[in-house]
mmCIF file of all heavy atoms in Angstrom:
data_model
loop_
_atom_site.group_PDB
_atom_site.id
_atom_site.type_symbol
_atom_site.label_atom_id
_atom_site.label_comp_id
_atom_site.label_asym_id
_atom_site.label_seq_id
_atom_site.Cartn_x
_atom_site.Cartn_y
_atom_site.Cartn_z
ATOM 1 N N LEU B 77 73.829 27.646 -4.826
ATOM 2 C CA LEU B 77 72.758 26.653 -4.859
ATOM 3 C C LEU B 77 72.510 26.188 -3.431
ATOM 4 O O LEU B 77 73.424 25.697 -2.777
ATOM 5 C CB LEU B 77 73.158 25.463 -5.745
ATOM 6 C CG LEU B 77 72.160 24.310 -5.803
ATOM 7 C CD1 LEU B 77 70.910 24.717 -6.570
ATOM 8 C CD2 LEU B 77 72.781 23.076 -6.444
ATOM 9 N N ALA B 78 71.285 26.387 -2.940
ATOM 10 C CA ALA B 78 70.968 25.974 -1.573
ATOM 11 C C ALA B 78 70.057 24.762 -1.611
ATOM 12 O O ALA B 78 68.970 24.823 -2.182
ATOM 13 C CB ALA B 78 70.304 27.115 -0.819
ATOM 14 N N ILE B 79 70.519 23.657 -1.038
ATOM 15 C CA ILE B 79 69.705 22.438 -1.005
ATOM 16 C C ILE B 79 69.003 22.368 0.343
ATOM 17 O O ILE B 79 69.649 22.238 1.389
ATOM 18 C CB ILE B 79 70.578 21.190 -1.239
ATOM 19 C CG1 ILE B 79 71.324 21.336 -2.571
ATOM 20 C CG2 ILE B 79 69.727 19.923 -1.225
ATOM 21 C CD1 ILE B 79 72.404 20.312 -2.786
ATOM 22 N N LEU B 80 67.685 22.509 0.313
ATOM 23 C CA LEU B 80 66.925 22.683 1.548
ATOM 24 C C LEU B 80 65.822 21.654 1.699
ATOM 25 O O LEU B 80 65.320 21.123 0.716
ATOM 26 C CB LEU B 80 66.251 24.065 1.546
ATOM 27 C CG LEU B 80 67.106 25.289 1.287
ATOM 28 C CD1 LEU B 80 66.217 26.513 1.151
ATOM 29 C CD2 LEU B 80 68.082 25.492 2.423
ATOM 30 N N LYS B 81 65.427 21.444 2.954
ATOM 31 C CA LYS B 81 64.219 20.660 3.218
ATOM 32 C C LYS B 81 63.022 21.582 2.978
ATOM 33 O O LYS B 81 63.151 22.801 3.083
ATOM 34 C CB LYS B 81 64.212 20.202 4.672
ATOM 35 C CG LYS B 81 65.321 19.232 4.993
ATOM 36 C CD LYS B 81 65.221 18.799 6.449
ATOM 37 C CE LYS B 81 66.335 17.844 6.797
ATOM 38 N NZ LYS B 81 67.657 18.492 6.728
ATOM 39 N N PRO B 82 61.849 20.986 2.699
ATOM 40 C CA PRO B 82 60.686 21.848 2.439
ATOM 41 C C PRO B 82 60.371 22.834 3.576
ATOM 42 O O PRO B 82 59.973 23.958 3.308
ATOM 43 C CB PRO B 82 59.547 20.837 2.243
ATOM 44 C CG PRO B 82 60.223 19.607 1.755
ATOM 45 C CD PRO B 82 61.555 19.568 2.432
ATOM 46 N N CYS B 83 60.579 22.396 4.838
ATOM 47 C CA CYS B 83 60.258 23.318 5.938
ATOM 48 C C CYS B 83 61.244 24.487 5.964
ATOM 49 O O CYS B 83 60.892 25.612 6.332
ATOM 50 C CB CYS B 83 60.231 22.595 7.283
ATOM 51 S SG CYS B 83 61.740 21.739 7.723
ATOM 52 N N GLU B 84 62.485 24.217 5.545
ATOM 53 C CA GLU B 84 63.471 25.294 5.489
ATOM 54 C C GLU B 84 63.124 26.261 4.357
ATOM 55 O O GLU B 84 63.289 27.475 4.482
ATOM 56 C CB GLU B 84 64.870 24.708 5.295
ATOM 57 C CG GLU B 84 65.318 23.893 6.497
ATOM 58 C CD GLU B 84 66.617 23.118 6.272
ATOM 59 O OE1 GLU B 84 66.827 22.618 5.151
ATOM 60 O OE2 GLU B 84 67.395 23.010 7.214
ATOM 61 N N MET B 85 62.613 25.708 3.263
ATOM 62 C CA MET B 85 62.185 26.550 2.139
ATOM 63 C C MET B 85 61.024 27.442 2.561
ATOM 64 O O MET B 85 60.958 28.611 2.207
ATOM 65 C CB MET B 85 61.776 25.636 0.971
ATOM 66 C CG MET B 85 61.562 26.358 -0.337
ATOM 67 S SD MET B 85 63.024 27.257 -0.864
ATOM 68 C CE MET B 85 62.278 28.736 -1.515
ATOM 69 N N ARG B 86 60.131 26.871 3.359
ATOM 70 C CA ARG B 86 59.012 27.681 3.880
ATOM 71 C C ARG B 86 59.545 28.849 4.684
ATOM 72 O O ARG B 86 59.061 29.978 4.570
ATOM 73 C CB ARG B 86 58.141 26.823 4.814
ATOM 74 C CG ARG B 86 57.034 26.088 4.144
ATOM 75 C CD ARG B 86 56.261 25.276 5.172
ATOM 76 N NE ARG B 86 55.203 26.047 5.811
ATOM 77 C CZ ARG B 86 54.377 25.538 6.727
ATOM 78 N NH1 ARG B 86 54.503 24.286 7.120
ATOM 79 N NH2 ARG B 86 53.434 26.277 7.256
ATOM 80 N N ALA B 87 60.545 28.573 5.506
ATOM 81 C CA ALA B 87 61.121 29.634 6.330
ATOM 82 C C ALA B 87 61.783 30.696 5.461
ATOM 83 O O ALA B 87 61.687 31.891 5.742
ATOM 84 C CB ALA B 87 62.127 29.048 7.318
ATOM 85 N N VAL B 88 62.433 30.251 4.370
ATOM 86 C CA VAL B 88 63.058 31.207 3.446
ATOM 87 C C VAL B 88 61.995 32.162 2.894
ATOM 88 O O VAL B 88 62.169 33.378 2.889
ATOM 89 C CB VAL B 88 63.786 30.476 2.293
ATOM 90 C CG1 VAL B 88 64.115 31.440 1.164
ATOM 91 C CG2 VAL B 88 65.049 29.802 2.793
ATOM 92 N N VAL B 89 60.863 31.593 2.461
ATOM 93 C CA VAL B 89 59.795 32.424 1.893
ATOM 94 C C VAL B 89 59.311 33.438 2.926
ATOM 95 O O VAL B 89 59.132 34.626 2.636
ATOM 96 C CB VAL B 89 58.622 31.539 1.391
ATOM 97 C CG1 VAL B 89 57.456 32.386 0.928
ATOM 98 C CG2 VAL B 89 59.085 30.627 0.267
ATOM 99 N N GLU B 90 59.112 32.972 4.151
ATOM 100 C CA GLU B 90 58.664 33.896 5.206
ATOM 101 C C GLU B 90 59.696 34.988 5.441
ATOM 102 O O GLU B 90 59.361 36.156 5.605
ATOM 103 C CB GLU B 90 58.403 33.133 6.519
ATOM 104 C CG GLU B 90 57.125 32.334 6.540
ATOM 105 C CD GLU B 90 55.881 33.170 6.267
ATOM 106 O OE1 GLU B 90 55.539 34.059 7.052
ATOM 107 O OE2 GLU B 90 55.254 32.913 5.219
ATOM 108 N N LEU B 91 60.970 34.613 5.456
ATOM 109 C CA LEU B 91 62.016 35.594 5.726
ATOM 110 C C LEU B 91 62.166 36.599 4.583
ATOM 111 O O LEU B 91 62.505 37.763 4.821
ATOM 112 C CB LEU B 91 63.352 34.895 6.011
ATOM 113 C CG LEU B 91 63.429 34.205 7.373
ATOM 114 C CD1 LEU B 91 64.785 33.559 7.581
ATOM 115 C CD2 LEU B 91 63.157 35.184 8.508
ATOM 116 N N VAL B 92 61.899 36.156 3.361
ATOM 117 C CA VAL B 92 61.915 37.110 2.246
ATOM 118 C C VAL B 92 60.772 38.113 2.429
ATOM 119 O O VAL B 92 60.953 39.319 2.299
ATOM 120 C CB VAL B 92 61.817 36.381 0.889
ATOM 121 C CG1 VAL B 92 61.603 37.375 -0.252
ATOM 122 C CG2 VAL B 92 63.072 35.555 0.629
ATOM 123 N N LYS B 93 59.601 37.590 2.805
ATOM 124 C CA LYS B 93 58.461 38.479 3.039
ATOM 125 C C LYS B 93 58.718 39.423 4.201
ATOM 126 O O LYS B 93 58.248 40.553 4.206
ATOM 127 C CB LYS B 93 57.205 37.650 3.342
ATOM 128 C CG LYS B 93 56.632 36.935 2.150
ATOM 129 C CD LYS B 93 55.305 36.314 2.546
ATOM 130 C CE LYS B 93 54.947 35.152 1.654
ATOM 131 N NZ LYS B 93 53.777 34.427 2.175
ATOM 132 N N LEU B 94 59.459 38.940 5.188
ATOM 133 C CA LEU B 94 59.755 39.769 6.368
ATOM 134 C C LEU B 94 60.980 40.670 6.127
ATOM 135 O O LEU B 94 61.481 41.294 7.058
ATOM 136 C CB LEU B 94 59.996 38.877 7.595
ATOM 137 C CG LEU B 94 58.771 38.151 8.168
ATOM 138 C CD1 LEU B 94 59.180 36.985 9.045
ATOM 139 C CD2 LEU B 94 57.898 39.105 8.958
ATOM 140 N N VAL B 95 61.432 40.706 4.899
ATOM 141 C CA VAL B 95 62.589 41.524 4.482
ATOM 142 C C VAL B 95 63.843 41.185 5.290
ATOM 143 O O VAL B 95 64.586 42.070 5.712
ATOM 144 C CB VAL B 95 62.278 43.043 4.557
ATOM 145 C CG1 VAL B 95 63.128 43.793 3.551
ATOM 146 C CG2 VAL B 95 60.825 43.325 4.284
ATOM 147 N N GLN B 96 64.071 39.901 5.502
ATOM 148 C CA GLN B 96 65.248 39.458 6.232
ATOM 149 C C GLN B 96 66.254 38.762 5.311
ATOM 150 O O GLN B 96 67.416 38.650 5.636
ATOM 151 C CB GLN B 96 64.853 38.479 7.351
ATOM 152 C CG GLN B 96 63.920 39.071 8.362
ATOM 153 C CD GLN B 96 64.583 40.189 9.125
ATOM 154 O OE1 GLN B 96 65.678 40.056 9.646
ATOM 155 N NE2 GLN B 96 63.919 41.339 9.171
ATOM 156 N N ILE B 97 65.758 38.260 4.184
ATOM 157 C CA ILE B 97 66.651 37.627 3.209
ATOM 158 C C ILE B 97 66.586 38.458 1.946
ATOM 159 O O ILE B 97 65.500 38.807 1.483
ATOM 160 C CB ILE B 97 66.214 36.169 2.909
ATOM 161 C CG1 ILE B 97 66.565 35.255 4.081
ATOM 162 C CG2 ILE B 97 66.875 35.654 1.624
ATOM 163 C CD1 ILE B 97 66.157 33.810 3.886
ATOM 164 N N GLN B 98 67.745 38.835 1.411
ATOM 165 C CA GLN B 98 67.760 39.516 0.120
ATOM 166 C C GLN B 98 67.771 38.425 -0.934
ATOM 167 O O GLN B 98 68.758 37.715 -1.097
ATOM 168 C CB GLN B 98 69.005 40.391 -0.006
ATOM 169 C CG GLN B 98 69.089 41.458 1.063
ATOM 170 C CD GLN B 98 70.146 42.495 0.738
ATOM 171 O OE1 GLN B 98 70.167 43.055 -0.351
ATOM 172 N NE2 GLN B 98 71.048 42.727 1.680
ATOM 173 N N ASN B 99 66.641 38.313 -1.613
ATOM 174 C CA ASN B 99 66.428 37.159 -2.472
ATOM 175 C C ASN B 99 67.075 37.358 -3.835
ATOM 176 O O ASN B 99 66.418 37.589 -4.832
ATOM 177 C CB ASN B 99 64.928 36.910 -2.622
ATOM 178 C CG ASN B 99 64.645 35.522 -3.106
ATOM 179 O OD1 ASN B 99 65.520 34.665 -3.056
ATOM 180 N ND2 ASN B 99 63.450 35.291 -3.596
ATOM 181 N N LYS B 100 68.400 37.295 -3.859
ATOM 182 C CA LYS B 100 69.099 37.480 -5.127
ATOM 183 C C LYS B 100 70.267 36.510 -5.171
ATOM 184 O O LYS B 100 70.999 36.362 -4.182
ATOM 185 C CB LYS B 100 69.604 38.925 -5.203
ATOM 186 C CG LYS B 100 69.896 39.380 -6.624
ATOM 187 C CD LYS B 100 70.598 40.720 -6.647
ATOM 188 C CE LYS B 100 71.554 40.763 -7.802
ATOM 189 N NZ LYS B 100 72.658 41.672 -7.567
ATOM 190 N N ASN B 101 70.413 35.849 -6.295
ATOM 191 C CA ASN B 101 71.528 34.935 -6.499
ATOM 192 C C ASN B 101 71.578 33.748 -5.546
ATOM 193 O O ASN B 101 72.650 33.230 -5.240
ATOM 194 C CB ASN B 101 72.866 35.686 -6.460
ATOM 195 C CG ASN B 101 73.215 36.242 -7.830
ATOM 196 O OD1 ASN B 101 72.655 35.821 -8.832
ATOM 197 N ND2 ASN B 101 74.140 37.177 -7.863
ATOM 198 N N ILE B 102 70.432 33.354 -5.055
ATOM 199 C CA ILE B 102 70.350 32.080 -4.340
ATOM 200 C C ILE B 102 69.387 31.216 -5.148
ATOM 201 O O ILE B 102 68.275 31.645 -5.461
ATOM 202 C CB ILE B 102 69.790 32.235 -2.907
ATOM 203 C CG1 ILE B 102 70.529 33.312 -2.110
ATOM 204 C CG2 ILE B 102 69.808 30.891 -2.177
ATOM 205 C CD1 ILE B 102 71.820 32.892 -1.473
ATOM 206 N N ILE B 103 69.844 30.051 -5.532
ATOM 207 C CA ILE B 103 68.975 29.119 -6.252
ATOM 208 C C ILE B 103 68.543 28.054 -5.250
ATOM 209 O O ILE B 103 69.382 27.409 -4.621
ATOM 210 C CB ILE B 103 69.718 28.465 -7.439
ATOM 211 C CG1 ILE B 103 70.225 29.557 -8.395
ATOM 212 C CG2 ILE B 103 68.811 27.488 -8.182
ATOM 213 C CD1 ILE B 103 71.246 29.066 -9.400
ATOM 214 N N TYR B 104 67.236 27.938 -5.067
ATOM 215 C CA TYR B 104 66.733 27.011 -4.048
ATOM 216 C C TYR B 104 66.366 25.669 -4.665
ATOM 217 O O TYR B 104 65.602 25.618 -5.621
ATOM 218 C CB TYR B 104 65.499 27.603 -3.359
ATOM 219 C CG TYR B 104 65.743 28.966 -2.766
ATOM 220 C CD1 TYR B 104 65.299 30.121 -3.409
ATOM 221 C CD2 TYR B 104 66.431 29.109 -1.564
ATOM 222 C CE1 TYR B 104 65.522 31.375 -2.872
ATOM 223 C CE2 TYR B 104 66.664 30.365 -1.021
ATOM 224 C CZ TYR B 104 66.208 31.493 -1.680
ATOM 225 O OH TYR B 104 66.433 32.739 -1.156
ATOM 226 N N ALA B 105 66.908 24.615 -4.091
ATOM 227 C CA ALA B 105 66.551 23.266 -4.535
ATOM 228 C C ALA B 105 66.007 22.497 -3.342
ATOM 229 O O ALA B 105 66.562 22.573 -2.241
ATOM 230 C CB ALA B 105 67.776 22.566 -5.098
ATOM 231 N N THR B 106 64.905 21.801 -3.530
ATOM 232 C CA THR B 106 64.371 20.970 -2.444
ATOM 233 C C THR B 106 64.118 19.555 -2.944
ATOM 234 O O THR B 106 64.248 19.277 -4.126
ATOM 235 C CB THR B 106 63.037 21.509 -1.879
ATOM 236 O OG1 THR B 106 62.085 21.524 -2.927
ATOM 237 C CG2 THR B 106 63.199 22.872 -1.283
ATOM 238 N N PHE B 107 63.750 18.719 -2.008
ATOM 239 C CA PHE B 107 63.424 17.332 -2.344
ATOM 240 C C PHE B 107 62.238 16.916 -1.495
ATOM 241 O O PHE B 107 61.917 17.582 -0.511
ATOM 242 C CB PHE B 107 64.632 16.419 -2.074
ATOM 243 C CG PHE B 107 65.282 16.660 -0.737
ATOM 244 C CD1 PHE B 107 64.803 16.042 0.402
ATOM 245 C CD2 PHE B 107 66.364 17.541 -0.612
ATOM 246 C CE1 PHE B 107 65.381 16.271 1.638
ATOM 247 C CE2 PHE B 107 66.945 17.778 0.628
ATOM 248 C CZ PHE B 107 66.455 17.137 1.758
ATOM 249 N N ASP B 108 61.566 15.827 -1.881
ATOM 250 C CA ASP B 108 60.485 15.312 -1.042
ATOM 251 C C ASP B 108 61.092 14.835 0.267
ATOM 252 O O ASP B 108 61.966 13.976 0.277
ATOM 253 C CB ASP B 108 59.783 14.139 -1.728
ATOM 254 C CG ASP B 108 58.791 14.627 -2.780
ATOM 255 O OD1 ASP B 108 58.703 15.854 -2.962
ATOM 256 O OD2 ASP B 108 58.130 13.780 -3.399
ATOM 257 N N CYS B 109 60.622 15.395 1.362
ATOM 258 C CA CYS B 109 61.245 15.098 2.652
ATOM 259 C C CYS B 109 60.449 14.027 3.395
ATOM 260 O O CYS B 109 59.244 14.152 3.573
ATOM 261 C CB CYS B 109 61.323 16.369 3.487
ATOM 262 S SG CYS B 109 62.069 16.112 5.094
ATOM 263 N N TYR B 110 61.139 12.980 3.810
ATOM 264 C CA TYR B 110 60.461 11.900 4.518
ATOM 265 C C TYR B 110 60.592 12.034 6.026
ATOM 266 O O TYR B 110 60.195 11.164 6.778
ATOM 267 C CB TYR B 110 60.998 10.542 4.044
ATOM 268 C CG TYR B 110 60.622 10.279 2.609
ATOM 269 C CD1 TYR B 110 61.441 10.709 1.571
ATOM 270 C CD2 TYR B 110 59.418 9.649 2.302
ATOM 271 C CE1 TYR B 110 61.083 10.497 0.250
ATOM 272 C CE2 TYR B 110 59.048 9.445 0.983
ATOM 273 C CZ TYR B 110 59.884 9.872 -0.038
ATOM 274 O OH TYR B 110 59.514 9.672 -1.330
ATOM 275 N N GLY B 111 61.187 13.133 6.467
ATOM 276 C CA GLY B 111 61.309 13.368 7.904
ATOM 277 C C GLY B 111 62.748 13.264 8.359
ATOM 278 O O GLY B 111 63.640 12.876 7.596
ATOM 279 N N THR B 112 62.954 13.631 9.605
ATOM 280 C CA THR B 112 64.300 13.576 10.185
ATOM 281 C C THR B 112 64.229 12.915 11.557
ATOM 282 O O THR B 112 63.152 12.794 12.142
ATOM 283 C CB THR B 112 64.908 14.980 10.342
ATOM 284 O OG1 THR B 112 64.033 15.770 11.166
ATOM 285 C CG2 THR B 112 65.095 15.674 9.005
ATOM 286 N N ILE B 113 65.406 12.525 12.046
ATOM 287 C CA ILE B 113 65.477 11.861 13.347
ATOM 288 C C ILE B 113 65.965 12.887 14.371
ATOM 289 O O ILE B 113 66.843 13.700 14.071
ATOM 290 C CB ILE B 113 66.446 10.662 13.280
ATOM 291 C CG1 ILE B 113 65.985 9.699 12.185
ATOM 292 C CG2 ILE B 113 66.534 9.944 14.627
ATOM 293 C CD1 ILE B 113 66.977 8.613 11.848
ATOM 294 N N ALA B 114 65.386 12.854 15.560
ATOM 295 C CA ALA B 114 65.772 13.825 16.586
ATOM 296 C C ALA B 114 67.253 13.678 16.941
ATOM 297 O O ALA B 114 67.778 12.564 16.975
ATOM 298 C CB ALA B 114 64.911 13.646 17.831
ATOM 299 N N ARG B 115 67.909 14.804 17.194
ATOM 300 C CA ARG B 115 69.343 14.761 17.490
ATOM 301 C C ARG B 115 69.641 13.942 18.737
ATOM 302 O O ARG B 115 70.616 13.209 18.791
ATOM 303 C CB ARG B 115 69.886 16.187 17.665
ATOM 304 C CG ARG B 115 69.901 16.973 16.379
ATOM 305 C CD ARG B 115 70.963 18.058 16.439
ATOM 306 N NE ARG B 115 70.692 19.073 17.444
ATOM 307 C CZ ARG B 115 70.010 20.186 17.208
ATOM 308 N NH1 ARG B 115 69.539 20.429 16.016
ATOM 309 N NH2 ARG B 115 69.802 21.064 18.161
ATOM 310 N N LYS B 116 68.754 14.055 19.720
ATOM 311 C CA LYS B 116 69.029 13.309 20.961
ATOM 312 C C LYS B 116 68.897 11.793 20.755
ATOM 313 O O LYS B 116 69.554 11.008 21.442
ATOM 314 C CB LYS B 116 68.156 13.809 22.113
ATOM 315 C CG LYS B 116 66.684 13.576 21.931
ATOM 316 C CD LYS B 116 65.966 13.930 23.215
ATOM 317 C CE LYS B 116 64.483 13.742 23.253
ATOM 318 N NZ LYS B 116 63.671 13.447 22.136
ATOM 319 N N ASP B 117 68.078 11.402 19.777
ATOM 320 C CA ASP B 117 67.938 9.967 19.490
ATOM 321 C C ASP B 117 69.124 9.415 18.710
ATOM 322 O O ASP B 117 69.288 8.201 18.588
ATOM 323 C CB ASP B 117 66.659 9.702 18.679
ATOM 324 C CG ASP B 117 65.412 9.950 19.504
ATOM 325 O OD1 ASP B 117 65.544 9.996 20.745
ATOM 326 O OD2 ASP B 117 64.328 10.116 18.922
ATOM 327 N N LEU B 118 69.930 10.311 18.141
ATOM 328 C CA LEU B 118 71.051 9.857 17.316
ATOM 329 C C LEU B 118 72.363 9.830 18.082
ATOM 330 O O LEU B 118 73.375 9.362 17.580
ATOM 331 C CB LEU B 118 71.200 10.764 16.095
ATOM 332 C CG LEU B 118 70.250 10.496 14.931
ATOM 333 C CD1 LEU B 118 70.264 11.645 13.970
ATOM 334 C CD2 LEU B 118 70.606 9.204 14.230
ATOM 335 N N LYS B 119 72.334 10.359 19.300
ATOM 336 C CA LYS B 119 73.556 10.474 20.087
ATOM 337 C C LYS B 119 74.321 9.147 20.113
ATOM 338 O O LYS B 119 73.769 8.098 20.451
ATOM 339 C CB LYS B 119 73.184 10.898 21.508
ATOM 340 C CG LYS B 119 74.255 11.722 22.093
ATOM 341 C CD LYS B 119 74.015 12.986 22.767
ATOM 342 C CE LYS B 119 75.070 13.978 22.354
ATOM 343 N NZ LYS B 119 74.612 15.267 22.073
ATOM 344 N N ASP B 120 75.597 9.206 19.731
ATOM 345 C CA ASP B 120 76.479 8.031 19.709
ATOM 346 C C ASP B 120 76.026 6.936 18.753
ATOM 347 O O ASP B 120 76.489 5.795 18.819
ATOM 348 C CB ASP B 120 76.665 7.434 21.115
ATOM 349 C CG ASP B 120 77.241 8.471 22.065
ATOM 350 O OD1 ASP B 120 78.079 9.262 21.602
ATOM 351 O OD2 ASP B 120 76.826 8.496 23.234
ATOM 352 N N LYS B 121 75.087 7.244 17.881
ATOM 353 C CA LYS B 121 74.719 6.294 16.826
ATOM 354 C C LYS B 121 75.167 6.894 15.505
ATOM 355 O O LYS B 121 75.876 7.893 15.489
ATOM 356 C CB LYS B 121 73.205 6.070 16.823
ATOM 357 C CG LYS B 121 72.716 5.313 18.025
ATOM 358 C CD LYS B 121 71.239 5.076 17.897
ATOM 359 C CE LYS B 121 70.663 4.663 19.236
ATOM 360 N NZ LYS B 121 69.290 5.089 19.397
ATOM 361 N N GLU B 122 74.739 6.323 14.429
ATOM 362 C CA GLU B 122 75.125 6.880 13.146
ATOM 363 C C GLU B 122 73.895 7.394 12.400
ATOM 364 O O GLU B 122 72.850 6.726 12.398
ATOM 365 C CB GLU B 122 75.843 5.817 12.310
ATOM 366 C CG GLU B 122 76.571 6.436 11.147
ATOM 367 C CD GLU B 122 77.542 5.451 10.494
ATOM 368 O OE1 GLU B 122 78.075 4.566 11.196
ATOM 369 O OE2 GLU B 122 77.732 5.579 9.285
#
Side-chain angles (χ1 to χ4, degrees):
Chain B
L77 177 70
I79 303 169
L80 307 173
K81 294 181 181 65
C83 57
E84 294 171 323
M85 191 58 219
R86 271 180 87 179
V88 165
V89 174
E90 284 303 296
L91 287 181
V92 171
K93 288 187 203 171
L94 290 161
V95 208
Q96 300 295 310
I97 286 179
Q98 300 193 52
N99 198 16
K100 201 189 146 207
N101 274 343
I102 308 278
I103 302 166
Y104 305 102
T106 61
F107 47 85
D108 280 2
C109 180
Y110 293 89
T112 58
I113 303 170
R115 291 206 295 269
K116 65 172 181 350
D117 291 343
L118 280 166
K119 212 132 222 137
D120 302 323
K121 291 183 195 149
E122 195 167 330

